[in-house]
Amino acid sequence: MIKVHCFVSCVCEVIKKTKGVDHRPYYFGVWDADFDVLDNGVLSYHSDRIDHHFFQTWYEMLYGIKLYKWYDEEQSKQENINKLLRLLENESPHQHVMVMLDLSMLPERENKFHQRPFPHYVMLESTENEAEWFMYDPDFRWEGILPKERILDAIQEPTVGGGYYFDSETIIAPTTETVEAYFNTCIKLHSNPMTEAITEIIKEYIVGKEKESMSKLPTALKQLPVLAIRKYAYEHAFAFFWEALGRDEEGFETWCDEIERLVNGYTTIQYRAMKLAMTQDLLLAEAIFVKLEEQNLLEFKIKQGLQECFQAWLTLQHKKEVLL
Amino acid sequence: MTRQQLMKSIYDIMENSLELQTLSSFNEDARLNEDLYMDSIMILQLILHLELDLGISIPDDILVPKDFKTVGTLASFLEKQQKVE
């Protein structure tokens, strides 16, 4: 399955390595994860207003592992780097260190989105060689040894900043009650925030306060691919319930096709927006709004299908409890 | 347009419109992302120029990543679109 969120991917690595503990429920929080629309109408996956408190809290409730935020925005970059150095020098076997860096400054590994800067969470470990660190990127499935100074340069980038550490020794399997609560928190049966935000942004550039800047619409939607990929989180949820319910592979593949159609739909929207900006042909605006409405209907269909799976799963769990 | 002409047009747009710095790696098998360092936005820009500059109609509701994996798969996609017209 496609990785969809760098913070989530980092903290799920230890879950995946632990027998009897399932990481897939954690992805319930990803399909509608926070994003921002900046004051100038730009869609953004990362901003000062976004933190990971939601993921931090639910990670502990589901898996029993407390995520400690070691990075302090109030302190200088150097003070934070000193903290990172101490963490890596004193790490224990079960301790894991995450840091946000500018991925575009490490060109030897693939930068799929070619952004600059590209804020991204990775995991770090010290090696026997003091001048080198082991960097592990679960989101893009990359790992390797890199010069410590190069990594520090990428962390130094002023526009990126963040870091957590955690000890995986306390890991537990999530209870039915917690999975149920998390699902009910994450499933938004009556709203699709991302499609709604895109609709508002496009209106802003066509008839709103940015209407004199229609040529900048592509910039406003530049990060859409990064956000669209989060919709693959629905696959993790379907897979989790499908396996527990013992349903056939064919039905699961059908839902995967619908999810892929949703993701590709955002590519169509982005293409039409770019074409609109270049041609100024307002007929394209109509085609964009039609597509956005199709996206809404498709995502509500996916959410409803997932809700039905969840209900069946919950019924099954309750039956099992009665039998114990 | 012949496949060779399509390949030439793709190259010209990459050079003149997108100002790609990686064209020394251009060939039929070059991967748009991994070899030419095009992200999805730049790929869409390329397709948009192909549509607007060459007049090839692009069915934007069936844009899927596998058609834009390499220069060759893109040329094949464009050939198919010409036949559809």
Side-chain angles (χ1 to χ4, degrees):
Chain A
M1 286 187 189
I2 296 171
K3 302 298 183 66
V4 298
H5 193 290
C6 61
F7 179 97
V8 169
S9 294
C10 282
V11 300
C12 277
E13 272 309 289
V14 296
I15 311 296
K16 294 178 184 177
K17 289 168 179 167
T18 308
K19 285 180 181 172
V21 187
D22 201 315
H23 69 285
R24 292 173 294 186
Y26 195 51
Y27 279 82
F28 298 170
V30 173
W31 57 65
D32 278 323
D34 282 348
F35 58 89
D36 205 355
V37 179
L38 309 182
D39 293 339
N40 55 356
V42 170
L43 186 70
S44 181
Y45 76 94
H46 173 71
S47 84
D48 292 344
R49 294 188 283 215
I50 293 173
D51 64 33
H52 294 100
H53 184 72
F54 177 86
F55 283 120
Q56 205 172 348
T57 300
W58 279 103
Y59 189 70
E60 184 174 6
M61 288 203 278
L62 287 161
Y63 300 108
I65 301 173
K66 189 172 179 61
L67 294 174
Y68 296 92
K69 188 176 181 184
W70 60 262
Y71 193 94
D72 184 347
E73 285 82 4
E74 301 301 315
Q75 293 182 352
S76 72
K77 184 71 80 165
Q78 190 54 54
E79 283 170 315
N80 277 301
I81 284 178
N82 290 344
K83 242 187 287 186
L84 173 65
L85 294 171
R86 285 196 298 274
L87 278 170
L88 290 176
E89 281 164 16
N90 298 290
E91 63 191 355
S92 64
H94 292 284
Q95 186 172 289
H96 306 270
V97 180
M98 291 163 60
V99 63
M100 184 186 288
L101 44 66
D102 177 3
L103 198 59
S104 72
M105 293 179 69
L106 297 169
E108 47 274 85
R109 37 76 33 79
E110 204 170 291
N111 180 351
K112 200 151 192 66
F113 297 105
H114 287 281
Q115 293 188 173
R116 182 178 297 275
F118 186 177
H120 192 63
Y121 275 105
V122 298
M123 304 180 83
L124 293 179
E125 289 175 26
S126 55
T127 68
E128 289 178 3
N129 182 343
E130 268 190 26
E132 291 176 330
W133 277 342
F134 178 75
M135 187 172 108
Y136 183 33
D137 182 356
D139 208 32
F140 294 129
R141 301 179 197 176
W142 187 93
E143 63 181 57
I145 291 175
L146 286 170
K148 174 175 159 185
E149 290 306 316
R150 296 277 318 289
I151 297 177
L152 286 174
D153 285 346
I155 295 167
Q156 289 274 15
E157 169 65 28
T159 56
V160 308
Y164 294 83
Y165 72 92
F166 57 94
D167 189 319
S168 58
E169 200 160 21
T170 58
I171 189 171
I172 59 168
T175 65
T176 297
E177 289 76 15
T178 314
V179 172
E180 178 186 4
Y182 189 45
F183 183 87
N184 284 328
T185 299
C186 297
I187 191 75
K188 298 178 180 174
L189 293 171
H190 306 293
S191 84
N192 294 321
M194 194 173 101
T195 294
E196 287 155 20
I198 295 165
T199 303
E200 290 308 307
I201 289 170
I202 293 178
K203 284 179 182 175
E204 204 68 18
Y205 277 85
I206 294 175
V207 294
K209 68 186 197 317
E210 302 288 347
K211 69 183 178 186
E212 302 305 321
S213 310
M214 197 186 291
S215 62
K216 292 177 184 168
L217 178 56
T219 300
L221 297 178
K222 189 179 180 197
Q223 290 183 11
L224 182 44
V226 182
L227 291 169
I229 206 163
R230 294 178 175 181
K231 300 303 179 183
Y232 282 114
Y234 288 121
E235 280 188 10
H236 292 263
F238 274 108
F240 173 72
F241 293 131
W242 222 260
E243 182 180 315
L245 294 165
R247 292 184 176 175
D248 68 283
E249 191 67 21
E250 213 170 309
F252 175 70
E253 289 302 323
T254 299
W255 282 112
C256 289
D257 290 343
E258 294 292 73
I259 293 161
E260 187 164 19
R261 203 154 64 83
L262 179 67
V263 174
N264 289 337
Y266 290 115
T267 302
T268 299
I269 288 165
Q270 187 154 42
Y271 185 79
R272 288 179 186 175
M274 291 166 70
K275 193 172 176 183
L276 170 63
M278 197 174 293
T279 66
Q280 308 278 303
D281 178 0
L282 287 177
L283 285 178
L284 276 158
E286 186 59 36
I288 293 172
F289 290 121
V290 166
K291 189 64 183 178
L292 284 162
E293 189 50 35
E294 286 173 11
Q295 292 288 92
N296 256 330
L297 293 174
L298 177 53
E299 189 159 13
F300 282 134
K301 174 184 174 183
I302 292 167
K303 286 178 169 177
Q304 191 56 51
L306 199 53
Q307 177 71 24
E308 286 163 2
C309 276
F310 165 74
Q311 292 297 153
W313 172 84
L314 201 58
T315 300
L316 181 63
Q317 303 314 304
H318 290 162
K319 282 179 181 172
K320 286 181 176 177
E321 284 164 12
V322 170
L323 291 175
L324 290 176
Chain B
M1 298 177 78
T2 65
R3 186 176 182 90
Q4 191 168 329
Q5 286 171 320
L6 286 171
M7 295 285 293
K8 179 66 162 63
S9 295
I10 292 169
Y11 184 93
D12 287 345
I13 290 170
M14 285 181 173
E15 180 176 42
N16 301 316
S17 301
L18 305 184
E19 296 175 358
L20 275 201
Q21 304 299 310
T22 52
L23 283 176
S24 57
S25 304
F26 183 92
N27 64 78
E28 179 108 8
D29 295 322
R31 297 167 298 177
L32 299 187
N33 181 253
E34 294 89 343
D35 300 324
L36 300 181
Y37 294 120
M38 299 179 73
D39 63 15
S40 60
I41 304 292
M42 295 171 78
I43 291 171
L44 289 184
Q45 286 173 332
L46 170 62
I47 297 164
L48 188 55
H49 277 286
L50 288 161
E51 179 171 20
L52 298 181
D53 298 354
L54 305 186
I56 300 176
S57 178
I58 301 293
D60 63 19
D61 54 349
I62 58 157
L63 296 172
V64 293
K66 73 173 170 53
D67 288 331
F68 314 114
K69 182 68 180 170
T70 67
V71 174
T73 59
L74 172 57
S76 299
F77 170 81
L78 296 172
E79 282 181 313
K80 197 184 308 177
Q81 295 318 310
Q82 286 187 125
K83 294 193 178 81
V84 167
E85 287 170 8

